[in-house]
């Protein structure tokens, strides 16, 4: 078992390894093998935390049984998420697989740059990743004299348009890019953002599976699916706090809003966290567009992200937890308030509950005569 297959189970070679191992997924599931529990954790963490890393810490590909379990948990997780019968759940799962992979890529590249590779923890380099997604012909590095680590790359415009989105911010728009000979200049970090989308596309391929509920592997996984659905309904904010009091927002969200108000572009995880929070407190896309009117956030991007956050039943998946936001460097845990709540929305709800008749921002907008903007005229 190649430990890298377990670390990157969506790679072609990993899929081939599962096929060649002649492993019967129905038999594994029927036997309740450890990979089944890890698959359930994978989906749960993806939907609730935005990551598929195990709860007890990042997966270390040391080979042996754990690597096999980790690898096999991936195809089972794909079946589990298909059985949830929710398109947003599938998208969120794929996004979490991609975000986790991107973090692992970064760690691998860093180890590679620092010559820290070891036999027990094999790593891959950027060329391997670009080759995996057939981007090796579409991306070339800009050589820097005296350094072997390029900071910028040239990316074919076709690949750029497929793997990036103008909704990520104005700087991603092609008109604002250095474009020459059909190539777009990107930083190393921007290239990784694009690669993350390539991973997401790969994970989404073939999902959701069409499975007859109550039969075969679907029947065997019924209790795991029921557990996940229960967890999601517990964590889904069907009845949002539905009052908008910016003074009571958690510091992480206030920091993000202030950053955007200074005209600084938010990174994709930052804008996702903010949109998830504002959606989670019951704001409509029109209200969020009006609320963010004087910031670097664009109406088009806001609508795209808030659409993604709502499922077809009108409820939302919860915003990232403090733990996830801390991993992204978004949380600074001011005055140790992480012990008050596990996520910014719960923190806000507690503050609203404790507040004495707080004034809703929407009422002040209506009083100011800006109601029309909230009703969809902001953009
Ligand atoms: S502890 Fe939680 S609520 Fe507070 S800043 Fe960090 S992420 Fe936000």
């Amino acid at each position: 078992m190649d430990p890298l297959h377990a670390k990157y189970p969506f790679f072609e070679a990993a899929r081939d390894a599962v096929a060649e191992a002649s492993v019967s997924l129905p038999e594994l599931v029927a036997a309740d093998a450890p990979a089944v529990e890890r698959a359930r954790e994978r989906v749960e963490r993806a939907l609730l935390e935005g990551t598929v890393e195990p709860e007890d810490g990042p997966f270390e590909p040391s080979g042996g049984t754990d690597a096999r379990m980790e690898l096999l948990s991936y195809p089972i997780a794909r079946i589990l998420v298909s059985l949830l019968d929710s398109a947003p759940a599938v998208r969120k799962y794929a996004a979490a697989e991609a975000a986790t992979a991107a973090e692992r890529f970064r760690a691998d590249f860093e180890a590679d740059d620092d010559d820290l590779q070891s036999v027990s923890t094999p790593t891959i380099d950027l060329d391997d990743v670009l080759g995996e997604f057939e981007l090796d012909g579409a991306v070339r590095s800009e050589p820097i004299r005296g350094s072997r680590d390029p900071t910028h790359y040239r990316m074919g415009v076709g690949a750029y348009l497929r793997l990036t989105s103008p909704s990520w911010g104005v700087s991603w728009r092609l008109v604002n890019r250095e474009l020459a000979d059909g190539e777009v200049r990107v930083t190393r970090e921007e290239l990784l953002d694009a690669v993350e989308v390539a991973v997401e596309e790969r994970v989404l391929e073939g999902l959701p599976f069409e499975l007859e509920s109550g039969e075969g592997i679907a029947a065997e996984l019924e209790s795991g699916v029921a557990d996940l659905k229960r967890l999601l309904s517990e964590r889904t904010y069907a009845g949002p706090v539905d009052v908008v009091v910016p003074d009571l927002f958690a510091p992480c969200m206030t920091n993000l809003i202030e950053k955007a108000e200074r005209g600084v572009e938010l990174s994709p995880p930052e804008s996702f966290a903010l949109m998830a929070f504002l959606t989670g407190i019951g704001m409509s896309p029109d209200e969020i567009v009006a609320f963010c009117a004087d910031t670097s956030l664009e109406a088009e991007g806001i609508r795209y992200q808030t659409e993604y956050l709502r499922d077809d039943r009108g409820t939302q998946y919860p915003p990232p937890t403090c733990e996830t936001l801390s991993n992204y460097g978004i949380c600074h845990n001011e005055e140790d308030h992480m012990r008050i709540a596990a996520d910014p929305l719960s923190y806000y709800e507690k503050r609203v509950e404790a507040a004495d008749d707080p004034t809703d921002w929407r009422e002040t907008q209506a009083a100011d005569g800006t109601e029309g903007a909230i009703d969809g005229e902001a953009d």
Side-chain angles (χ1 to χ4, degrees):
M1 168 78 50
D2 182 341
L4 277 178
H5 293 164
K7 198 168 170 184
Y8 302 113
F10 46 82
F11 275 16
E12 291 289 355
R15 296 202 287 206
D16 292 347
V18 173
E20 281 161 19
S22 310
V23 177
S24 161
L25 293 184
E27 280 175 21
L28 273 185
V29 170
D32 205 14
V36 180
E37 175 50 28
R38 171 65 186 123
R40 205 196 59 76
E41 181 194 45
R42 203 170 184 117
V43 177
E44 179 184 326
R45 299 264 297 157
L47 300 183
L48 300 184
E49 308 287 345
T51 177
V52 298
E53 288 291 9
E55 189 151 16
D56 55 6
F59 168 68
E60 287 296 337
S62 52
T65 315
D66 283 346
R68 180 183 156 88
M69 176 185 79
E70 187 69 13
L71 172 61
L72 294 175
S73 72
Y74 175 71
I76 300 171
R78 288 166 62 80
I79 296 171
L80 273 173
V81 79
S82 297
L83 290 169
L84 286 177
D85 193 23
S86 160
V90 170
R91 288 201 305 270
K92 191 158 190 206
Y93 166 73
E97 286 281 0
T100 306
E103 282 307 301
R104 292 177 180 177
F105 291 154
R106 283 186 184 92
D108 276 8
F109 302 163
E110 229 166 82
D112 193 39
D113 290 347
D114 298 343
D115 288 329
L116 291 177
Q117 309 104 306
S118 76
V119 177
S120 61
T121 55
T123 58
I124 50 169
D125 61 24
L126 181 60
D127 289 342
D128 295 329
V129 175
L130 294 178
E132 174 67 29
F133 296 102
E134 294 177 7
L135 289 169
D136 37 354
V139 177
R140 65 185 177 89
S141 59
E142 276 184 7
I144 310 178
R145 195 177 299 163
S147 168
R148 68 183 184 120
D149 301 327
T151 56
H152 285 80
Y153 295 79
R154 300 273 169 176
M155 190 174 189
V157 68
Y160 180 85
L161 289 174
R162 181 169 70 84
L163 298 175
T164 69
S165 168
S167 68
W168 294 353
V170 282
S171 74
W172 289 93
R173 292 189 172 176
L174 203 51
V175 290
N176 297 326
R177 284 277 154 179
E178 210 180 307
L179 174 66
D181 299 328
E183 292 178 319
V184 184
R185 189 168 192 249
V186 293
T187 64
R188 188 175 164 99
E189 202 43 46
E190 288 170 339
L191 177 59
L192 272 175
D193 287 340
V195 167
E196 187 173 329
V197 174
V199 176
E200 194 174 330
E201 282 182 354
R202 173 75 62 85
V203 174
L204 279 172
E205 274 172 21
L207 287 184
F209 299 132
E210 288 196 10
L211 295 153
E212 226 29 82
S213 67
E215 286 180 21
I217 199 165
E220 297 283 359
L221 287 170
E222 225 160 53
S223 72
V225 172
D227 280 353
L228 282 167
K229 283 186 172 166
R230 194 181 55 248
L231 262 176
L232 281 174
S233 67
E234 278 167 9
R235 288 287 306 270
T236 297
Y237 297 99
V241 59
D242 208 14
V243 57
V244 181
V245 190
D247 285 349
L248 301 180
F249 286 0
C252 50
M253 296 300 129
T254 303
N255 291 344
L256 291 178
I257 292 163
E258 287 175 355
K259 188 172 174 182
E261 280 173 348
R262 292 194 301 274
V264 180
E265 252 180 52
L266 302 187
S267 67
E270 286 176 334
S271 66
F272 174 81
L274 181 58
M275 290 306 119
F277 174 76
L278 296 176
T279 305
I281 65 171
M283 290 177 85
S284 69
D286 285 339
E287 287 168 349
I288 298 175
V289 167
F291 184 74
C292 297
D294 296 323
T295 71
S296 59
L297 292 153
E298 299 218 319
E300 188 191 351
I302 291 171
R303 290 193 193 289
Y304 176 84
Q305 282 196 316
T306 48
E307 187 69 21
Y308 173 88
L309 285 160
R310 286 169 177 273
D311 75 10
D312 41 17
R313 292 178 291 271
T315 54
Q316 305 90 34
Y317 286 105
T321 60
C322 300
E323 180 197 341
T324 303
L325 294 174
S326 176
N327 290 339
Y328 276 116
I330 294 171
C331 163
H332 305 293
N333 192 20
E334 281 91 340
E335 292 168 21
D336 196 23
H337 68 273
M338 205 183 268
R339 66 195 150 70
I340 299 172
D343 61 79
L345 183 49
S346 309
Y347 177 78
Y348 174 66
E349 283 175 333
K350 284 181 198 285
R351 292 194 79 189
V352 168
E353 270 167 32
D356 189 16
D357 196 19
T359 305
D360 194 319
W361 168 84
R362 291 172 288 202
E363 286 167 22
T364 61
Q365 295 300 292
D368 287 351
T370 45
E371 211 167 3
I374 294 180
D375 288 341
E377 292 163 19
D379 45 333

